[in-house]
Amino acid sequence: MENHRTEITNDITQSIRNFLDGKKYSQIAVICDENTEEHCLPVILDGLPEHYLLRIDSGEENKHLGTCEQLWMALTDAGFDRKGLVINLGGGVIGDMGGFVASTYKRGMDFLNIPTTLLSQVDASVGGKLGVDFHGFKNHIGLFAEPQNVLIDTCFYATLPQRELRSGFAEVIKHGLIYDKSYWQKVKTIDLDDANWSELVSRSIDIKKEVVKADPFESGLRKILNFGHTIGHAVESYFLDKGDQRLLHGEAIAVGMICEAYLSHKFTGLSIEELDEIVAYLIGIYHPVKIDKSLFDEIIGLTLQDKKNEGGAVQFSLLTGMGACKVNIPIATPDMLDSLFYFNQQLG
Amino acid sequence: MENHRTEITNDITQSIRNFLDGKKYSQIAVICDENTEEHCLPVILDGLPEHYLLRIDSGEENKHLGTCEQLWMALTDAGFDRKGLVINLGGGVIGDMGGFVASTYKRGMDFLNIPTTLLSQVDASVGGKLGVDFHGFKNHIGLFAEPQNVLIDTCFYATLPQRELRSGFAEVIKHGLIYDKSYWQKVKTIDLDDANWSELVSRSIDIKKEVVKADPFESGLRKILNFGHTIGHAVESYFLDKGDQRLLHGEAIAVGMICEAYLSHKFTGLSIEELDEIVAYLIGIYHPVKIDKSLFDEIIGLTLQDKKNEGGAVQFSLLTGMGACKVNIPIATPDMLDSLFYFNQQLG
C-alpha cells in the first residue's frame, strides 16, 4: 500500500509527460465525464499521447456496476491488454470507479489518477479505496488497490462550482478535527474565495497518508477518518435519489460531523465549548437545513450497512478533543436518534 | 501472496473445525451449487456452525457478473459485515466467483476454499486468480487475492462424474509436461479408476505453488502454467454456448495441449518423438473430436483476448522438451491455423 507517489504540481501536462517517460504502456484510456471533458481535458491534452477517451455521465448516481460494465466493454472493444494504462480524470466518482474498473480488468492494469476536485484531491487520492455503490449502499462493492501515481494540480478548481469546493472543504475541516488541533485553528480562519489551496491540500494529504500508512486496511487507526461519515453517509445515501434535496458528499459529512460531534460530547469527552465551536463553524459554512424527523428511522437504518460495523453494532469514530479521535465506539439507536434531534435544534 | 495454508486432509469436517477454532467470524456463508449441495454439503455439515447457504446454478455459463450481483445482494440482505466468512464449496467456478465476490464485498472479507473437484484442487486452489467471465471472455473481470485457507479432501471425488475427473486430470498432465519430467513419466502410467489421488494432488499443488511463488502476478515464469491454455481457452470459449458440443475445461485444454505441443515442436525444440508421445497419450485419454475447419478463424480470433497478450501479439507458453517450458513466444495467425489442421490430422 501507498507505494505510489502523490505529486503536487503546478504544471500538470509536464507532470504527465514525466510520468509516462520511459514507460511502455501498450494503450492508454482516459476516463472522464462531460464536465472534466469540457473543463479539464483541454488543460492536460498537450501532455497526453494517443489515447482512447471513455466518457461516462457525471454524478454519484452513475457510480454503479452498470457503468463499470460499459467501461470494461469499451476497454475490451479497444483491445486493451494488461499492459495498458487507465488515466482517471475527474472527481471521486471517476477515481473510485475508474480505479475499480482498471484493477479488475483482466485481473488488473495500471491506473494514474488526476483528481480534479478539492474533495478527490484530499480524500479519494490517498488510501487505495476503490469501488462503486450497490443498490443504494455507498462503495459497497470494491477493493483496496493503489494507482501508479496521483498528480494533483489545483488549477482545476478554476472551473469547479463554489458548492463543490465547499463540499471538498469538509474533509479538510475533518483532518484538523481528528488529527491536528493547530491545523484546525488555521482551517477555521480560511476564506474559501482566497485560500492557498496547494498548501492546504498538501497538509491534508500528509495527514491522510500518515493515518493510512499506519493502518492500510482499516483495522484500527484509519477509522478516525470516518468521523462524521457514519451518519453522514447515511444522510447522503438517503437523499441520493431525492432530486433537488440531494446533498453533495461534503454537505452530508458536515451534517454527520455536527451529529457526531454531539455524540463525542456525550460519550468521549469533547467539551461543550468545543462542541459549540465546531457546530457554529459548520453551520456558518454549510447552512444545512433541518431533516424531517419522519425520516430519522430510515436514515438510521442505513447506518447498519456501514462497512465499519462489526457484529451488528454500529461503530463510530468520535472526537475526544480538538485534533484527537477514538475509534470503535458502539452507539445505540436511541443515541443516534438523539443526535439527529440535536442537529435540528441547532438550526433554530 | 500465498500466505495461506493448503491442507490436504482425509477428515474434512475436523479440518473445518480446526480452521474455525479461535476465529471470531461475525457470520458465515457457504456458497454451493445444486451438485455440491447434494453431494458435498452433507459431508462437511458436522464441521459447520450456523451459516447461510447461498446456492447458485452450476456451470461455467453462470460464472458472470449477474450471479455475483445475486451473491452480493444475498450477503447484503443477510447483513454480512467485513468480519464475515465465505466458504466456497465446489469446483473452479465457485472458487473463482465466490472468491471474487468475497474479495469485493465491502472491499473484502475472508474466504475459505473447499475445492471439491480434481480440477479445482490442483488448479484454482493455488495462485489467487479470481474472477468471472464477461461477454464470452473467460475470467475477464477479476483480481488476485488469496483465501485464508484451502482445505482439500479427495473424498469428494466419490460423487464426481468420471468425465469431470478426467477433465481435471489434464492439469495434472500439464504439470508434468511443463515442469517435471519424472512426474510426467509417472502420470502417464496412472489408471484413472485406481489412482492414489492424494499423492498426485499433493505433487501437483507443490508444482503450482513453486511456480506461483516465484512469480505471483504472472509477469514471467508463471506463464508456463498457460501451456495448452491459449488455444485451449479459445476452444473452450467457442463451444461454451454450443449445447451438447460443449467441452469441459480439461477437455478443451487437452485439445490446446495437442496444438501447442505441435507449435512447441515447430518453434521451441520439442522433438518429434516427444510430440508423438504427448499427442498419442492425450488422444488415448480424451478421445477428442475434429473441429470443423470453418470454425478455425473464429477460434483464433478468440485468442486475441487472451490476458497474457501484450501489444497485440498472441503470446504462447511452449515446451522446449519434456518437463521444460518457455514463455512469451509470439505465434502468428497462420501458425495457429496450422496447429488446428495438425490437430484434425492426428484424429485420422
Side-chain angles (χ1 to χ4, degrees):
Chain A
M1 301 298 286
E2 293 308 313
N3 294 321
H4 72 281
R5 277 178 57 219
T6 303
E7 183 187 333
I8 298 178
T9 175
N10 48 28
D11 186 349
I12 184 74
T13 56
Q14 186 56 44
S15 294
I16 294 171
R17 278 191 215 105
N18 294 346
F19 170 79
L20 291 173
D21 188 42
K23 297 198 176 69
K24 293 178 180 164
Y25 288 112
S26 56
Q27 293 184 96
I28 294 175
V30 176
I31 302 182
C32 63
D33 60 30
E34 72 279 9
N35 297 318
T36 59
E37 184 184 15
E38 180 183 347
H39 299 298
C40 304
L41 187 63
V43 178
I44 67 167
L45 216 48
D46 271 355
L48 287 179
E50 194 185 345
H51 60 274
Y52 285 82
L53 195 66
L54 309 182
R55 198 183 67 190
I56 61 172
D57 292 336
S58 66
E60 182 82 20
E61 65 272 27
N62 296 304
K63 188 182 177 185
H64 53 58
L65 288 162
T67 309
C68 293
E69 291 200 46
Q70 287 173 28
L71 290 168
W72 286 319
M73 203 68 237
L75 291 170
T76 307
D77 288 342
F80 272 73
D81 60 31
R82 292 194 290 201
K83 299 279 173 160
L85 173 73
V86 164
I87 298 178
N88 296 311
L89 181 70
V93 170
I94 283 187
D96 288 5
M97 183 159 55
F100 178 69
V101 163
S103 301
T104 52
Y105 180 75
K106 299 192 178 189
R107 294 201 198 90
M109 55 193 293
D110 282 359
F111 59 105
L112 168 69
N113 279 357
I114 306 180
T116 57
T117 63
L118 172 58
L119 178 61
S120 58
Q121 289 184 355
V122 299
D123 188 25
S125 75
V126 184
K129 286 185 172 184
L130 307 175
V132 293
D133 304 337
F134 184 72
H135 293 267
F137 299 112
K138 272 185 67 75
N139 302 318
H140 201 64
I141 305 304
L143 50 85
F144 289 93
E146 289 294 340
Q148 291 300 106
N149 210 330
V150 182
L151 303 181
I152 288 182
D153 193 329
T154 60
C155 76
F156 296 117
Y157 303 176
T159 54
L160 197 64
Q162 172 77 13
R163 194 181 160 195
E164 292 282 350
L165 195 70
R166 202 167 50 220
S167 166
F169 192 60
E171 295 291 336
V172 174
I173 295 169
K174 184 194 76 180
H175 289 142
L177 289 175
I178 61 172
Y179 199 74
D180 183 343
K181 186 173 179 174
S182 68
Y183 188 44
W184 158 248
Q185 302 293 358
K186 180 176 180 170
V187 163
K188 270 197 315 183
T189 66
I190 284 166
D191 172 0
L192 289 190
D193 294 322
D194 185 31
N196 182 339
W197 288 114
S198 294
E199 194 186 307
L200 286 166
V201 165
S202 176
R203 177 62 192 141
S204 265
I205 286 176
D206 283 347
I207 289 177
K208 185 153 187 195
K209 282 198 160 184
E210 279 174 41
V211 171
V212 168
K213 191 175 176 186
D215 175 26
F217 298 110
E218 201 172 30
S219 43
L221 177 68
R222 181 168 178 169
K223 295 181 190 173
I224 68 171
L225 296 166
N226 289 305
F227 171 67
H229 282 60
T230 308
I231 289 177
H233 268 167
V235 167
E236 186 181 7
S237 292
Y238 180 80
F239 287 106
L240 199 59
D241 59 357
K242 300 296 183 297
D244 285 353
Q245 289 185 75
R246 231 193 96 194
L247 296 175
L248 296 182
H249 177 72
E251 294 168 342
I253 296 315
V255 176
M257 287 196 286
I258 291 170
C259 295
E260 296 181 26
Y262 170 76
L263 293 170
S264 300
H265 169 60
K266 197 163 171 183
F267 294 107
T268 53
L270 189 73
S271 74
I272 186 73
E273 294 77 17
E274 291 168 325
L275 172 63
D276 289 344
E277 180 183 330
I278 293 168
V279 171
Y281 178 70
L282 290 171
I283 290 174
I285 297 273
Y286 292 96
H287 309 291
V289 297
K290 287 190 188 190
I291 298 171
D292 196 287
K293 67 183 185 198
S294 66
L295 312 177
F296 286 3
D297 283 343
E298 195 172 340
I299 288 170
I300 284 170
L302 289 168
T303 65
L304 294 172
Q305 276 299 334
D306 192 281
K307 284 181 285 299
K308 294 181 303 300
N309 295 343
E310 292 173 16
V314 181
Q315 304 283 336
F316 279 69
S317 302
L318 298 178
L319 304 178
T320 54
M322 290 306 196
C325 188
K326 199 174 161 186
V327 303
N328 293 337
I329 315 289
I331 297 290
T333 299
D335 292 312
M336 285 195 261
L337 269 174
D338 194 22
S339 76
L340 287 167
F341 278 108
Y342 168 84
F343 168 76
N344 275 354
Q345 258 171 5
Q346 302 312 302
L347 305 181
Chain B
M1 300 294 287
E2 293 308 316
N3 293 324
H4 71 280
R5 278 177 57 219
T6 302
E7 182 187 334
I8 299 179
T9 174
N10 49 28
D11 187 348
I12 185 73
T13 55
Q14 186 57 45
S15 294
I16 294 171
R17 276 190 218 105
N18 293 347
F19 169 80
L20 292 173
D21 188 41
K23 297 196 176 69
K24 290 178 181 164
Y25 288 113
S26 55
Q27 292 185 93
I28 294 175
V30 177
I31 302 181
C32 63
D33 60 30
E34 71 279 9
N35 297 317
T36 58
E37 183 183 16
E38 181 182 348
H39 298 300
C40 305
L41 187 62
V43 178
I44 67 166
L45 217 46
D46 271 356
L48 287 179
E50 194 185 344
H51 60 275
Y52 283 83
L53 195 65
L54 309 183
R55 198 183 68 188
I56 60 173
D57 291 337
S58 67
E60 182 81 21
E61 65 273 27
N62 296 305
K63 188 182 177 184
H64 53 58
L65 288 163
T67 309
C68 293
E69 290 199 46
Q70 286 172 29
L71 290 167
W72 286 319
M73 202 69 238
L75 291 170
T76 307
D77 288 342
F80 272 73
D81 60 32
R82 295 194 290 201
K83 299 280 174 160
L85 174 73
V86 164
I87 298 178
N88 295 311
L89 181 70
V93 169
I94 283 185
D96 288 4
M97 184 159 54
F100 177 69
V101 164
S103 301
T104 53
Y105 180 76
K106 299 191 178 188
R107 295 202 197 88
M109 55 192 291
D110 282 358
F111 59 105
L112 169 69
N113 279 358
I114 305 179
T116 56
T117 64
L118 173 57
L119 178 61
S120 58
Q121 289 184 356
V122 298
D123 189 25
S125 75
V126 183
K129 285 186 174 185
L130 308 175
V132 293
D133 304 336
F134 183 72
H135 293 267
F137 299 112
K138 273 185 64 79
N139 302 320
H140 201 64
I141 306 303
L143 49 86
F144 289 93
E146 291 293 341
Q148 290 301 106
N149 211 332
V150 181
L151 304 180
I152 288 181
D153 193 329
T154 61
C155 76
F156 296 117
Y157 303 177
T159 54
L160 196 64
Q162 173 74 13
R163 193 180 161 196
E164 292 281 352
L165 195 69
R166 203 165 52 219
S167 167
F169 192 59
E171 295 290 337
V172 173
I173 295 168
K174 184 194 76 180
H175 289 143
L177 289 174
I178 61 171
Y179 199 74
D180 183 343
K181 187 173 179 174
S182 69
Y183 188 44
W184 157 248
Q185 302 293 357
K186 180 176 180 171
V187 163
K188 272 197 313 184
T189 67
I190 284 163
D191 174 0
L192 289 189
D193 295 322
D194 186 28
N196 182 337
W197 288 114
S198 294
E199 195 185 308
L200 286 167
V201 165
S202 176
R203 177 64 191 140
S204 266
I205 286 176
D206 282 348
I207 289 176
K208 184 151 187 196
K209 282 199 162 185
E210 280 173 42
V211 172
V212 169
K213 191 175 176 187
D215 175 25
F217 297 110
E218 201 171 31
S219 43
L221 177 69
R222 182 168 178 170
K223 296 181 189 172
I224 69 172
L225 295 166
N226 289 304
F227 171 68
H229 282 60
T230 308
I231 290 178
H233 268 166
V235 167
E236 186 181 8
S237 292
Y238 180 81
F239 288 107
L240 200 59
D241 58 358
K242 300 297 183 295
D244 283 353
Q245 289 184 77
R246 230 193 96 191
L247 296 174
L248 297 182
H249 176 73
E251 295 168 341
I253 296 314
V255 175
M257 287 195 285
I258 291 170
C259 295
E260 296 181 26
Y262 170 75
L263 293 170
S264 301
H265 169 59
K266 199 164 170 182
F267 294 106
T268 53
L270 189 73
S271 74
I272 186 72
E273 294 77 18
E274 291 169 323
L275 172 64
D276 289 346
E277 181 183 329
I278 293 168
V279 171
Y281 178 71
L282 289 170
I283 290 174
I285 297 272
Y286 292 97
H287 310 290
V289 298
K290 288 191 189 191
I291 297 172
D292 195 286
K293 67 181 182 201
S294 67
L295 312 178
F296 286 3
D297 284 342
E298 195 171 342
I299 288 169
I300 284 169
L302 288 168
T303 66
L304 294 173
Q305 275 298 333
D306 193 280
K307 283 179 285 301
K308 294 181 303 302
N309 296 343
E310 291 172 18
V314 182
Q315 305 283 339
F316 279 71
S317 303
L318 298 178
L319 303 178
T320 55
M322 292 303 199
C325 188
K326 201 173 159 186
V327 304
N328 293 338
I329 316 288
I331 297 290
T333 300
D335 292 312
M336 285 195 259
L337 269 174
D338 193 22
S339 77
L340 287 166
F341 278 109
Y342 168 85
F343 168 77
N344 274 353
Q345 258 172 6
Q346 302 312 303
L347 307 180

